[in-house]
Amino acid sequence: MIPVLSIGSLKTSGSSTLALALAGVASAADIPVVLIDAARDKDLVEWGTKPGRPERCTVEVADDEMALERLVRAARRRGEVAIIDAGDNADLLRAGARLADRALIPVRFSPLSAYAALATDQLLRMEMGKGRRDRDWAFVASAVTTIPSRIARTIETMIERSPTPRLETGLVQRAAYEASFLHGGTLFNLTEEHVSGLDRARTEATMLAYEVGLLGERFGSQGTGHIERGYARAA
């Protein structure tokens, strides 16, 4: 199981949504998890004040690298999974990736988001050799929406420029993932009265959690170059 994940991009692209979706899966599997909110808008902190937060899911705040490191080390000592929402701050993106076992770069289907993801990829590539041994990172589609095929092809081409892998599973059910921020709780304790598409969203989030190693050995072999390639597409 991957104990520390860091999520973020130089342009806001759904890092909080992705972090909360994965934390919801961990909590549903009775895995203790701490969400470390290092993003500017502190959406996870606000979510943590709403009803429905799982008992074994806590939220902490990190506004600088020292606080981030302290919280990650404490989570490792306690045997908790730590999921870092590094937001779009370059210093915290670097720090989160150094502390994590795996970093995820969320990409929404827009050229601007893709450019930011590639810039983040380059930022992390410049940090190779720093931080935890064998750490790696990958692109993951976040809050995908159906868009014209021409734009989709453009984004595919942009992401193909990097050797960094793209995870097969993406978050397609945008409304379902964002409902937790409105109502509180996670995908696994919301109901269809709150939002539709929950069953599919739960399946997607669980598949992604397996793919990144949150629930055990991830799909594919170890090492950045051996994660299953491909990029999640809108259904």
Side-chain angles (χ1 to χ4, degrees):
M1 182 176 71
I2 294 298
V4 181
L5 289 169
S6 183
I7 305 169
S9 174
L10 288 169
K11 179 188 181 299
T12 301
S13 297
S15 61
S16 300
T17 301
L18 180 55
L20 183 53
L22 291 172
V25 175
S27 297
D30 203 30
I31 298 170
V33 57
V34 55
L35 282 164
I36 302 176
D37 195 341
R40 299 176 195 272
D41 51 21
K42 297 295 182 285
D43 283 343
L44 293 176
V45 171
E46 183 177 351
W47 167 83
T49 66
K50 297 179 182 293
R53 176 175 57 83
E55 182 177 347
R56 304 191 76 187
C57 179
T58 58
V59 181
E60 300 284 357
V61 178
D63 288 322
D64 55 50
E65 297 176 43
M66 290 183 62
L68 185 58
E69 182 173 359
R70 174 177 54 81
L71 290 169
V72 168
R73 291 186 182 278
R76 287 188 186 275
R77 286 195 302 269
R78 294 191 300 263
E80 296 175 338
V81 165
I83 301 177
I84 303 165
D85 178 6
D88 58 4
N89 180 284
D91 290 336
L92 290 171
L93 282 167
R94 280 190 291 259
R98 287 196 299 266
L99 292 164
D101 301 281
R102 179 150 309 121
L104 302 178
I105 305 173
V107 189
R108 285 182 170 162
F109 264 26
S110 76
L112 185 58
S113 179
Y115 276 121
L118 289 170
T120 306
D121 177 40
Q122 185 61 31
L123 182 77
L124 299 187
R125 197 165 296 281
M126 293 172 64
E127 294 284 299
M128 288 182 68
K130 301 178 182 179
R132 296 186 64 79
R133 183 180 179 184
D134 296 330
R135 68 182 179 88
D136 58 17
W137 62 92
F139 298 111
V140 59
S142 173
V144 175
T145 55
T146 303
I147 60 172
S149 58
R150 178 180 57 81
I151 299 176
R153 286 195 299 270
T154 299
I155 295 168
E156 289 280 345
T157 301
M158 291 168 66
I159 297 298
E160 284 288 344
R161 296 173 186 171
S162 171
T164 296
R166 289 148 315 272
L167 300 185
E168 291 287 354
T169 306
L171 306 187
V172 175
Q173 301 296 302
R174 182 170 183 171
Y177 293 109
E178 295 180 348
S180 293
F181 292 101
L182 179 62
H183 301 289
T186 74
L187 292 170
F188 296 88
N189 55 23
L190 291 173
T191 69
E192 292 291 334
E193 294 179 357
H194 295 109
V195 66
S196 61
L198 282 171
D199 285 344
R200 180 172 178 181
R202 289 165 183 157
T203 299
E204 287 175 355
T206 302
M207 289 175 60
L208 181 59
Y210 271 113
E211 195 168 2
V212 301
L214 188 61
L215 297 181
E217 184 65 28
R218 62 177 168 167
F219 303 137
S221 304
Q222 294 295 323
T224 301
H226 298 284
I227 300 175
E228 193 71 25
R229 294 185 68 85
Y231 193 79
R233 294 171 175 79

